[in-house]
Amino acid sequence: MRVPLARRTFPLFAAALVSTSLACALGRPTPTPVPEIDAVLSAMGAAEADPEAAFLELSEAIGANPAGVEATALSRLEDPNADVRLFAVYSLAETASSAAGMRTLVGLLEVSDVTERMLAAEGLLRRGEPEGIPALIAALAVDEPMRGAEPPIQVWDFARDLLLTNTDQDFGLSSAVDAESADAARPSWEAWWAASGRNLTWDETELYFRSSP
Amino acid sequence: MIGRRAVLAALALMAGLVSLSAPGGVDARRLAVNQVERNGTVVTITVPIDLHVPAQQRYRVPGAGTTGGAGLAAWWESGAEAIWNSGLSPFLFRGCYTLKVDIQLNVVAADPFSGNSDHHQVYLRGSAFRSKVARGGGAGKNEDDPNTYTHPGLGYWGMVGPTTVAHEVGHLLGLADDYTDVKNASGQTTGAQSLPGREKTLMDNYRQGSAATWFDQELVDRLGDMAGIVEPLPPCFQGTVTLLVEDAREGHYRAATLDLALAVSPNEAGELEGLATGSFDLSGSVTQGGCEFSYNGATDVSLELTASGQANGPYTVTAKEEQRYEETQRHFLCDDPVDLQIDWDIGLTIEDIIFRDREYRFSDGSADVVLFYSRP
């Protein structure tokens, strides 16, 4: 299931590795799952819990203790409860900064749940890692809801926004109004990825992947 | 002299009073967050939001390259405000009020200690997957709640576009989601389902619609109801009324029709005033000694109005002064010339106007008539 990181992988990852090494060298503890955050993730999937309140707690924790959220999310990715798993992926995509977290995001591009794949791809793109682009291109044909999204959004629409925002390409995608018209642009995107995917550079100033001339 | 003075008046039967229920209650807490200001028939709701942004963070704004937090806030504020105000503009609340939204998005430091305690607090998150607002009043996901007019809301917004921001601002305006979560047999979320009649509106799954579907009268009424709790809105009426008087006596048949467009709204002192303008048309025939002639007359009408009443009614609308219509016409009864003197006093009284079913209505005695309601 795991996909090795591409050679072009990002300064952030390198920084994370250095940071981890320093932490070990200095004897700082490696982040471990936080029981309170673990309880919040459990509440996201519990029928008797208030998922709205749980999500607000999770959002607050993402800002206050991202390392703790990342460690906790990594421990819940195989949870049998689909909602717990979903919000573990969401949490990881929001907070991943460790090598393990980044590797796991790449691996999540292969899971069966399309919403989880989209969240992993988004998390990678936001960190300058283009590995998620093929998953987004493939999702242009998927006319089903991103489960748990607020406000609601279809998978193809979510993928479209990410591709248009994070690359310098369009191929008619910006005018797509449904999955069918988005899917019509897919072959051009696939051809672009096949031709240029290995040569993309992350423009740190403009915050998007620049195709090589 | 053939003509006689007459006063046109519509006297109506009392219609049943149905009170308008407010969505939730408001206690005596101070007004501190959303501000509601009425200027004539324009009601502006100001939504102050502190956007907590990490220092030095850059954001990509379509069409504008990259920007800092201030640029992101400006993009969101102008975009969302345009969506709200262009969407609201074709609709009237209670038949005459135009609602406007003034979004004030202030950039503050990322820490939770920054910001104004009388503003809504919104924190940025990276994913566009989820943006949320907690309104804090305890209302359910699909229940409107005016709590955000008196207590700051809390939001976590992802890297989204202005339309999603407009949806989230809707929550800060007290509006609920117009969709429910769909769950499978195991209780796990699989998607979302629009509430009946709310499909493709702004607080529903707006991405499946367009600017043309995002706003409707129901959304405007719900927003106006909450604004009206904070700033009680005096009634105002507008619409058209047609009144007919017809009689025949002593060989004189006559029919008079008064067609008026009227608008009544509160003045600066809060008193109801207005104007009715239109036309008065007269026709008739006179028969005497086996001879007959017919006549017609018409004049423009402009009546200053006053109105009285409270809450949902009943209200009475009355012309401050009657308008006189005088005219002398030369006619012939067989070969004898006669001068017809037309002399009418034109007035207007409409009683028992009741606000119910979100419209101002009165009854003409046989059927309910909606006269004071404008649709786009």
Side-chain angles (χ1 to χ4, degrees):
Chain A
M1 177 173 120
R2 300 282 184 252
V3 175
L5 284 173
R7 193 162 47 84
R8 56 186 172 276
T9 302
F10 45 92
L12 238 180
F13 179 30
L17 285 176
V18 170
S19 172
T20 305
S21 303
L22 275 177
C24 293
L26 294 172
R28 276 195 235 133
T30 303
T32 55
V34 178
E36 291 81 5
I37 299 171
D38 194 67
V40 170
L41 280 176
S42 295
M44 293 301 305
E48 71 279 7
D50 178 356
E52 305 282 320
F55 183 76
L56 292 174
E57 288 184 48
L58 182 61
S59 298
E60 185 179 356
I62 286 169
N65 184 8
V69 171
E70 180 183 7
T72 311
L74 283 167
S75 73
R76 300 299 297 270
L77 292 171
E78 305 295 332
D79 197 283
N81 184 302
D83 281 352
V84 172
R85 216 165 49 238
L86 173 67
F87 284 97
V89 175
Y90 166 78
S91 302
L92 180 64
E94 285 281 19
T95 57
S97 63
S98 70
M102 296 303 295
R103 277 198 306 273
T104 304
L105 280 183
V106 174
L108 286 166
L109 295 172
E110 305 294 324
V111 298
S112 61
D113 186 295
V114 66
T115 299
E116 294 176 19
R117 291 201 303 273
M118 294 300 96
L119 292 176
E122 183 192 35
L124 289 166
L125 260 63
R126 217 166 51 238
R127 292 165 175 80
E129 167 54 52
E131 203 72 30
I133 289 177
L136 296 174
I137 295 172
L140 291 174
V142 180
D143 192 14
E144 60 186 75
M146 291 278 289
R147 63 186 186 91
E150 298 260 1
I153 187 171
Q154 297 293 101
V155 168
W156 70 267
D157 210 356
F158 189 83
R160 179 188 69 157
D161 280 358
L162 287 173
L163 288 170
L164 293 174
T165 304
N166 289 282
T167 73
D168 55 3
Q169 302 299 314
D170 189 304
F171 303 119
L173 196 54
S174 58
S175 58
V177 295
D178 52 25
E180 188 179 0
S181 48
D183 191 34
R186 191 162 53 93
S188 299
W189 279 92
E190 287 171 340
W192 166 77
W193 174 255
S196 307
R198 294 186 179 281
N199 301 313
L200 294 180
T201 55
W202 177 247
D203 187 322
E204 291 282 357
T205 305
E206 295 300 318
L207 302 178
Y208 71 92
F209 290 101
R210 192 180 288 280
S211 305
S212 296
Chain B
M1 185 172 95
I2 297 176
R4 291 196 320 172
R5 291 185 180 179
V7 176
L8 289 179
L11 300 176
L13 296 175
M14 178 75 174
L17 174 62
V18 178
S19 64
L20 176 68
S21 60
V26 169
D27 58 21
R29 296 170 301 206
R30 67 198 173 108
L31 303 181
V33 189
N34 290 354
Q35 302 293 316
V36 181
E37 183 180 340
R38 180 180 64 81
N39 185 3
T41 57
V42 177
V43 176
T44 303
I45 308 169
T46 301
V47 189
I49 304 166
D50 287 345
L51 183 63
H52 292 254
V53 177
Q56 312 302 322
Q57 183 79 37
R58 304 288 293 173
Y59 305 94
R60 185 161 165 75
V61 172
T66 56
T67 178
L72 176 70
W75 178 51
W76 279 357
E77 179 181 297
S78 61
E81 202 169 270
I83 288 168
W84 270 102
N85 289 328
S86 62
L88 289 170
S89 65
F91 298 95
L92 296 174
F93 173 61
R94 283 197 161 203
C96 76
Y97 285 109
T98 298
L99 304 183
K100 290 189 173 180
V101 172
D102 177 13
I103 302 169
Q104 296 181 350
L105 208 46
N106 316 293
V107 174
V108 300
D111 66 85
F113 305 105
S114 300
N116 185 321
S117 61
D118 287 342
H119 293 176
H120 302 297
Q121 305 298 312
V122 171
Y123 296 84
L124 283 181
R125 291 292 175 261
S127 176
F129 173 62
R130 272 210 161 197
S131 295
K132 293 287 286 184
V133 161
R135 295 173 293 167
K141 179 182 177 72
N142 301 126
E143 295 175 294
D144 293 341
D145 186 349
N147 189 64
T148 48
Y149 289 73
T150 50
H151 293 81
L154 170 65
Y156 292 96
W157 296 355
M159 288 311 302
V160 294
T163 313
T164 301
V165 171
H167 174 97
E168 299 305 326
V169 166
H171 292 316
L172 294 175
L173 288 164
L175 295 168
D177 276 324
D178 283 344
Y179 60 88
T180 57
D181 296 326
V182 175
K183 297 182 182 294
N184 61 18
S186 306
Q188 286 148 8
T189 308
T190 57
Q193 174 70 49
S194 304
L195 297 181
R198 307 308 304 143
E199 294 84 358
K200 302 178 183 177
T201 54
L202 185 65
M203 302 311 291
D204 176 44
N205 189 350
Y206 55 83
R207 281 180 171 266
Q208 294 189 337
S210 66
T213 68
W214 291 340
F215 289 82
D216 63 0
Q217 189 64 52
E218 181 177 328
L219 193 70
V220 174
D221 289 343
R222 286 162 55 192
L223 179 61
D225 284 346
M226 281 181 288
I229 291 171
V230 177
E231 170 72 27
L233 301 176
C236 51
F237 322 118
Q238 62 180 5
T240 58
V241 59
T242 300
L243 302 170
L244 175 66
V245 171
E246 190 176 28
D247 68 9
R249 72 172 63 170
E250 298 172 359
H252 182 186
Y253 164 79
R254 59 185 183 171
T257 303
L258 184 62
D259 264 318
L260 295 174
L262 62 86
V264 175
S265 60
N267 61 19
E268 288 184 359
E271 299 159 339
L272 292 173
E273 291 184 330
L275 194 66
T277 56
S279 63
F280 174 77
D281 292 285
L282 182 66
S283 63
S285 61
V286 175
T287 305
Q288 282 184 9
C291 302
E292 179 179 335
F293 69 84
S294 299
Y295 67 92
N296 292 286
T299 187
D300 293 335
V301 175
S302 178
L303 299 171
E304 290 188 10
L305 304 174
T306 184
S308 60
Q310 288 186 339
N312 289 322
Y315 288 88
T316 299
V317 174
T318 311
K320 291 180 179 175
E321 289 184 10
E322 295 169 351
Q323 176 180 324
R324 176 160 292 186
Y325 169 40
E326 293 178 298
E327 185 179 348
T328 301
Q329 296 181 353
R330 170 62 58 90
H331 293 278
F332 292 89
L333 280 170
C334 295
D335 293 331
D336 297 331
V338 293
D339 284 340
L340 173 72
Q341 186 173 348
I342 298 171
D343 185 3
W344 286 73
D345 279 343
I346 302 164
L348 179 69
T349 300
I350 306 174
E351 294 183 332
D352 295 328
I353 300 169
I354 304 290
F355 184 79
R356 62 185 168 93
D357 299 333
R358 297 192 172 278
E359 296 170 329
Y360 290 98
R361 297 165 176 262
F362 74 87
S363 169
D364 68 356
S366 58
D368 285 348
V369 180
V370 180
L371 288 172
F372 306 106
Y373 193 68
S374 292
R375 292 187 183 280

